[in-house]
Amino acid sequence: MSEPSTERPTGNAQIGVTGLAVMGRNLARNLARHGYRVALHNRSHERTESLVRDHGDEGTFIPSESLPDFVASLERPRAIIIMVKAGGPTDAVIDELTPLLEAGDIVIDCGNAHFADTRRREESLKEHGLHFVGSGVSGGEEGALNGPSIMPGGSTESYQKLGPIFESIAAEVDGTPCCVHVGPDGAGHFVKMVHNGIEYADMQLIAEAYDLLRSGLGASPAEIADIFREWNSGDLESFLIEITADVLAHTDAQTGQAFVDVVLDQAEQKGTGRWTVQSALDLGVPITGIAEATFARSLSGHAEQRKAAATTFAQPAGEGFASAPGEREQFVDDVRKALYASKVVAYAQGFDHIEAGSEEYGWHVDRGAMATIWRGGCIIRARFLNRIVEAYQTDPGLPSLLVAPYFADAVSDGLDSWRRVVVAAAQQGIPTPAFSSSLAYFDGLRRPRLPAALIQGLRDNFGAHTYQRVDKDGAFHTLWAAGLDEISA
C-alpha cells in the first residue's frame, strides 16, 4: 500500500467534505477515487485522521483540524459539501462557515434536509453572495462510495461547477450519469423527499406480499426468498426485490431461526415519509399508498396498543388461501401481479407529487429526467423505470403514469389478481393497507363520477359552503331550512 497523500497546499483542494460519518466518509472517498483533491473536516478530528489512515491511498485528501483551515485549503470558488445531521446541526455548520466564505462560493447540503429548510437557507446565503445547493443523494453507504443517484437543486451557476463533478461520481446506466440539475432552490431535496416516500410504499408493498405468502400459504421465509428471486428475473426486477430475497434467506447465527423471525416488528421512520405525506396534503395530491405505508410504520411502533388488541380480539381462524398445488401457484402469481400494479400506483402518485410541487414553486422539474437518474444508484432503482422514462419521453405532459399505454396494459392485466388478493386478505384478517389503498385509488381514479357530489351537498346543508352544478357555471347554495330554493352564491 502506498503512503497516504496528506499534502496541505493552501487553496489546492477542488471540493471539500465536512461531516465524516459513514455517508460523508464514503462520498469523500468516491470523489478522491475519481481524481479530485478532497479537503476533509470533521468536528472530531479522529474521524478525519482515520479516513486518511485507512484510505489515503485512494486519492488526494487534504485534512484540516479547524474549519478556517479547511476553508483555506479549497480553491476558489469554493465548493463545500455538508454531511451532518439534518435540522439544527446543519444550520450550526452553515452559520460557522458563512463568515469564512466569499461571494461565489458554493455550500452543498447532501443530507436528507426538508426542502423548506433548503429554500430558507438558499435565500439567506444568497444575501451573502453565496450559492446554496440542496442535493438529494440516494443509494445508502454503498451508493455513496460506488456511485449514487444525485439530485442537486440550486442555481444554474452553481451546477456549472458541480455538475461535472457530481456526474462523474454518480451511478451510470446506459452511458447516462444518474445525476441531473433538478431545479432551483429546494427542488433537489423535494425530489429526494418524494423518492423516499416512494421507497416507503415500495417496502410496505413488499412486506405485505411477504405476509400474504407467509400467513396465507404457510410458506417459510426461505421458500418466499426463492419466490422473490424468481420475481426479480421479470418485470419486478429491482434492488429492493433483490435484497428482500437476501434478507428472507438469511439465518440468524445465534438461534438458527430465520433472521426475519428474530427481528423486532417495529419499523422506524426518520422523517422523510412523514414530510412527503404532509407536503402532499398541503398540495392536495392523493398519495394514498405512500401515506398508508407511513401509517403502517407508525402502527408497528404502537406495541402496547397492539398487544392489548391482540389479547382482546380473537385471531381469524383462517384455512389458508390455497391447498391444492395449482391453487397455490395461482395465488403466488396473483400476489406478484398485485404487487406490480400497486407499485405502479406508488410511482404514479410520486410523480404526480413532483409535478404538483414543481408547479407550486416554479421549479420546472422534468419528470422523465427524474426517472432517468433513478435507474441506477438509488434505493428504488428498478427495471420498470426505463418504461417510465419512455412514457414521459412520449408525452412529457402525461396526466398520470397509469394512463401511459404500457402501464395501463400492465395494470389491466393484473386487475383481477389484485382484487382477489385484497379480498382474500380481508377475509383472512391479514392487513394489506398499501395493496388495498392502491386499489381503491385506482378505482377512484377511473370512475367517471364519484360520491363527492353527496359530500358537497352535505357541506352546503350544514355550513352553506356552496356547490357547483354540472349543467351551468357558478356557485350555488340551497336554502335547506327555508323552502329549499336555490340561490346563486
Side-chain angles (χ1 to χ4, degrees), residues 166-208:
F166 279 177
E167 288 173 19
S168 69
I169 69 167
E172 192 173 287
V173 176
D174 299 331
T176 301
C178 294
C179 173
V180 72
H181 183 218
V182 177
D185 60 74
H189 274 148
F190 183 91
V191 165
K192 176 57 162 57
M193 175 190 74
V194 175
H195 163 284
N196 285 19
I198 295 172
E199 182 184 307
Y200 270 54
D202 215 341
M203 286 193 286
Q204 177 64 26
L205 290 166
I206 288 171
E208 290 178 15

Coordinates of all heavy atoms in Angstrom, one line a residue, residues 166-208:
F166 N -20.3 16.0 -9.9 CA -21.3 15.0 -9.4 C -21.6 14.0 -10.5 O -21.8 12.8 -10.2 CB -22.6 15.8 -9.1 CG -22.5 16.4 -7.7 CD1 -23.6 17.2 -7.2 CD2 -21.5 16.2 -6.8 CE1 -23.6 17.7 -5.9 CE2 -21.4 16.8 -5.5 CZ -22.5 17.5 -5.1
E167 N -21.7 14.4 -11.7 CA -22.0 13.5 -12.8 C -20.9 12.4 -12.9 O -21.1 11.2 -13.3 CB -22.2 14.2 -14.1 CG -23.5 15.0 -14.2 CD -23.6 15.9 -15.4 OE1 -22.9 15.6 -16.4 OE2 -24.4 16.8 -15.4
S168 N -19.6 12.8 -12.6 CA -18.5 11.8 -12.7 C -18.6 10.8 -11.6 O -18.1 9.6 -11.8 CB -17.2 12.5 -12.7 OG -16.9 13.1 -11.5
I169 N -19.1 11.1 -10.5 CA -19.1 10.1 -9.3 C -20.4 9.4 -9.2 O -20.5 8.5 -8.4 CB -18.8 10.8 -8.0 CG1 -19.9 11.8 -7.5 CG2 -17.4 11.6 -8.1 CD1 -19.7 12.3 -6.1
A170 N -21.4 9.8 -10.0 CA -22.8 9.2 -9.9 C -22.8 7.8 -10.5 O -21.9 7.5 -11.3 CB -23.8 10.1 -10.5
A171 N -23.8 7.0 -10.2 CA -24.0 5.8 -10.9 C -24.3 6.1 -12.4 O -24.6 7.3 -12.8 CB -25.2 5.1 -10.3
E172 N -24.1 5.1 -13.2 CA -24.3 5.3 -14.7 C -25.1 4.2 -15.2 O -24.9 3.0 -14.9 CB -22.9 5.4 -15.4 CG -22.9 5.9 -16.8 CD -21.5 6.1 -17.4 OE1 -20.9 7.1 -17.0 OE2 -21.1 5.3 -18.2
V173 N -26.1 4.5 -16.1 CA -26.9 3.5 -16.7 C -27.0 3.8 -18.2 O -27.3 4.9 -18.6 CB -28.3 3.4 -16.1 CG1 -29.2 2.4 -16.9 CG2 -28.3 3.1 -14.6
D174 N -26.6 2.8 -19.0 CA -26.6 3.0 -20.5 C -25.8 4.3 -20.9 O -26.2 5.0 -21.8 CB -28.0 3.1 -21.0 CG -28.8 1.8 -20.8 OD1 -28.2 0.7 -20.7 OD2 -30.0 1.9 -20.6
G175 N -24.7 4.5 -20.2 CA -23.8 5.6 -20.5 C -24.3 7.0 -20.0 O -23.7 8.0 -20.3
T176 N -25.4 7.0 -19.3 CA -26.0 8.2 -18.8 C -25.8 8.3 -17.3 O -26.2 7.4 -16.5 CB -27.5 8.3 -19.1 OG1 -27.7 8.2 -20.5 CG2 -28.1 9.6 -18.6
P177 N -25.2 9.4 -16.8 CA -25.0 9.6 -15.3 C -26.3 9.7 -14.6 O -27.3 10.4 -15.2 CB -24.2 10.8 -15.2 CG -23.6 11.1 -16.6 CD -24.6 10.5 -17.5
C178 N -26.4 9.1 -13.4 CA -27.7 9.3 -12.6 C -27.6 10.5 -11.8 O -27.6 10.5 -10.6 CB -27.8 8.0 -11.8 SG -28.1 6.5 -12.7
C179 N -27.5 11.6 -12.5 CA -27.4 13.0 -11.9 C -27.9 14.0 -12.9 O -27.5 13.9 -14.1 CB -26.0 13.3 -11.4 SG -25.7 15.0 -10.8
V180 N -28.7 14.9 -12.4 CA -29.2 16.0 -13.3 C -29.5 17.2 -12.4 O -29.9 17.0 -11.2 CB -30.4 15.5 -14.1 CG1 -31.6 15.4 -13.3 CG2 -30.6 16.5 -15.3
H181 N -29.4 18.4 -13.0 CA -29.8 19.6 -12.2 C -31.4 19.6 -12.1 O -32.0 19.7 -13.2 CB -29.3 20.8 -12.9 CG -29.7 22.1 -12.2 ND1 -30.0 23.3 -12.8 CD2 -29.7 22.4 -10.8 CE1 -30.3 24.2 -11.9 NE2 -30.1 23.7 -10.7
V182 N -31.9 19.3 -11.0 CA -33.3 19.2 -10.8 C -34.1 20.5 -11.0 O -35.1 20.5 -11.7 CB -33.7 18.6 -9.4 CG1 -35.2 18.5 -9.2 CG2 -33.0 17.2 -9.2
G183 N -33.6 21.6 -10.4 CA -34.3 22.9 -10.5 C -33.7 23.8 -9.4 O -32.8 23.4 -8.7
P184 N -34.2 25.0 -9.3 CA -33.7 26.0 -8.4 C -34.1 25.7 -6.9 O -34.9 24.8 -6.6 CB -34.4 27.3 -8.8 CG -35.6 26.8 -9.5 CD -35.3 25.5 -10.2
D185 N -33.5 26.4 -6.0 CA -33.7 26.3 -4.5 C -33.9 24.9 -4.0 O -33.0 24.1 -4.0 CB -34.7 27.4 -4.0 CG -36.1 27.3 -4.5 OD1 -36.8 26.4 -4.1 OD2 -36.5 28.2 -5.3
G186 N -35.1 24.6 -3.5 CA -35.3 23.4 -2.8 C -35.7 22.2 -3.7 O -36.1 21.1 -3.2
A187 N -35.7 22.3 -5.0 CA -36.1 21.3 -5.9 C -35.5 19.9 -5.7 O -36.1 18.9 -5.7 CB -36.0 21.7 -7.4
G188 N -34.1 20.0 -5.5 CA -33.4 18.7 -5.3 C -33.8 18.0 -4.1 O -34.1 16.7 -4.1
H189 N -34.0 18.7 -2.9 CA -34.4 18.0 -1.7 C -35.9 17.6 -1.8 O -36.3 16.6 -1.1 CB -34.1 18.9 -0.5 CG -32.7 18.7 0.0 ND1 -32.0 19.7 0.6 CD2 -31.9 17.6 0.0 CE1 -30.8 19.2 1.0 NE2 -30.7 18.0 0.6
F190 N -36.7 18.3 -2.5 CA -38.1 18.0 -2.6 C -38.2 16.6 -3.4 O -38.9 15.7 -3.0 CB -38.8 19.0 -3.4 CG -40.3 18.8 -3.6 CD1 -41.2 19.2 -2.6 CD2 -40.8 18.0 -4.6 CE1 -42.6 19.0 -2.7 CE2 -42.2 17.8 -4.8 CZ -43.1 18.3 -3.8
V191 N -37.5 16.5 -4.5 CA -37.5 15.3 -5.3 C -36.9 14.1 -4.5 O -37.5 13.0 -4.5 CB -36.7 15.5 -6.6 CG1 -36.4 14.1 -7.3 CG2 -37.5 16.4 -7.5
K192 N -35.9 14.4 -3.7 CA -35.3 13.3 -2.9 C -36.4 12.9 -1.8 O -36.5 11.7 -1.5 CB -34.0 13.7 -2.2 CG -33.4 12.7 -1.2 CD -33.2 11.4 -1.8 CE -32.2 10.5 -1.0 NZ -32.6 10.2 0.3
M193 N -37.1 13.8 -1.3 CA -38.1 13.5 -0.3 C -39.2 12.6 -0.9 O -39.6 11.6 -0.3 CB -38.8 14.8 0.2 CG -40.0 14.6 1.1 SD -40.9 16.2 1.4 CE -41.7 16.4 -0.2
V194 N -39.6 12.9 -2.1 CA -40.6 12.1 -2.8 C -40.1 10.7 -3.1 O -40.7 9.7 -3.0 CB -41.2 12.8 -4.1 CG1 -42.1 11.9 -4.8 CG2 -41.9 14.1 -3.7
H195 N -38.8 10.7 -3.5 CA -38.1 9.4 -3.8 C -38.2 8.6 -2.5 O -38.6 7.4 -2.6 CB -36.6 9.7 -4.1 CG -35.7 8.5 -4.0 ND1 -35.3 8.0 -2.7 CD2 -35.2 7.7 -4.9 CE1 -34.5 7.0 -2.9 NE2 -34.4 6.7 -4.2
N196 N -37.9 9.1 -1.3 CA -38.0 8.4 -0.1 C -39.4 7.9 0.2 O -39.7 6.9 0.8 CB -37.4 9.2 1.0 CG -35.9 9.2 1.0 OD1 -35.3 9.0 0.0 ND2 -35.3 9.6 2.1
G197 N -40.4 8.8 -0.1 CA -41.8 8.4 0.1 C -42.2 7.2 -0.8 O -42.8 6.3 -0.3
I198 N -41.7 7.2 -2.0 CA -42.0 6.0 -2.9 C -41.3 4.8 -2.3 O -41.8 3.7 -2.3 CB -41.5 6.3 -4.3 CG1 -42.3 7.4 -5.0 CG2 -41.5 5.0 -5.2 CD1 -41.7 7.9 -6.3
E199 N -40.1 5.0 -1.8 CA -39.3 3.9 -1.1 C -40.2 3.3 0.0 O -40.2 2.1 0.2 CB -38.0 4.5 -0.6 CG -37.1 3.5 0.0 CD -35.8 4.2 0.6 OE1 -35.2 5.0 -0.2 OE2 -35.6 4.1 1.8
Y200 N -40.8 4.2 0.8 CA -41.7 3.7 1.9 C -42.8 2.8 1.4 O -43.0 1.7 1.9 CB -42.3 4.9 2.6 CG -41.6 5.5 3.8 CD1 -40.3 6.0 3.7 CD2 -42.2 5.7 5.0 CE1 -39.6 6.5 4.7 CE2 -41.6 6.3 6.1 CZ -40.3 6.7 5.9 OH -39.6 7.3 7.0
A201 N -43.4 3.3 0.3 CA -44.5 2.5 -0.3 C -44.0 1.2 -0.8 O -44.6 0.1 -0.7 CB -45.2 3.3 -1.4
D202 N -42.9 1.2 -1.5 CA -42.3 0.0 -2.2 C -42.0 -1.0 -1.1 O -42.4 -2.2 -1.2 CB -41.0 0.4 -2.9 CG -40.8 -0.4 -4.2 OD1 -41.4 -1.4 -4.3 OD2 -40.0 0.1 -5.0
M203 N -41.4 -0.6 0.0 CA -41.0 -1.6 1.0 C -42.3 -2.1 1.7 O -42.3 -3.3 2.1 CB -40.1 -0.9 2.0 CG -38.7 -0.8 1.5 SD -37.5 -0.4 2.8 CE -37.9 1.3 3.1
Q204 N -43.3 -1.3 2.0 CA -44.5 -1.7 2.6 C -45.2 -2.8 1.7 O -45.7 -3.8 2.2 CB -45.5 -0.6 2.9 CG -46.8 -0.9 3.5 CD -46.7 -1.6 4.8 OE1 -45.8 -1.4 5.6 NE2 -47.7 -2.4 5.2
L205 N -45.3 -2.5 0.4 CA -45.9 -3.5 -0.5 C -45.2 -4.8 -0.5 O -45.8 -5.9 -0.5 CB -45.9 -2.9 -1.9 CG -46.9 -1.7 -2.2 CD1 -46.5 -1.0 -3.5 CD2 -48.3 -2.2 -2.2
I206 N -43.8 -4.7 -0.5 CA -43.0 -6.0 -0.4 C -43.3 -6.7 0.9 O -43.5 -7.9 0.9 CB -41.5 -5.6 -0.6 CG1 -41.2 -5.2 -2.0 CG2 -40.7 -6.8 -0.2 CD1 -39.8 -4.7 -2.2
A207 N -43.4 -6.0 2.0 CA -43.7 -6.6 3.3 C -45.1 -7.2 3.3 O -45.3 -8.3 3.8 CB -43.6 -5.6 4.4
E208 N -46.1 -6.6 2.7 CA -47.4 -7.1 2.6 C -47.4 -8.4 1.7 O -48.1 -9.4 2.0 CB -48.4 -6.1 2.0 CG -48.6 -5.0 3.0 CD -49.6 -3.9 2.5 OE1 -50.3 -4.2 1.5 OE2 -49.6 -2.8 3.1

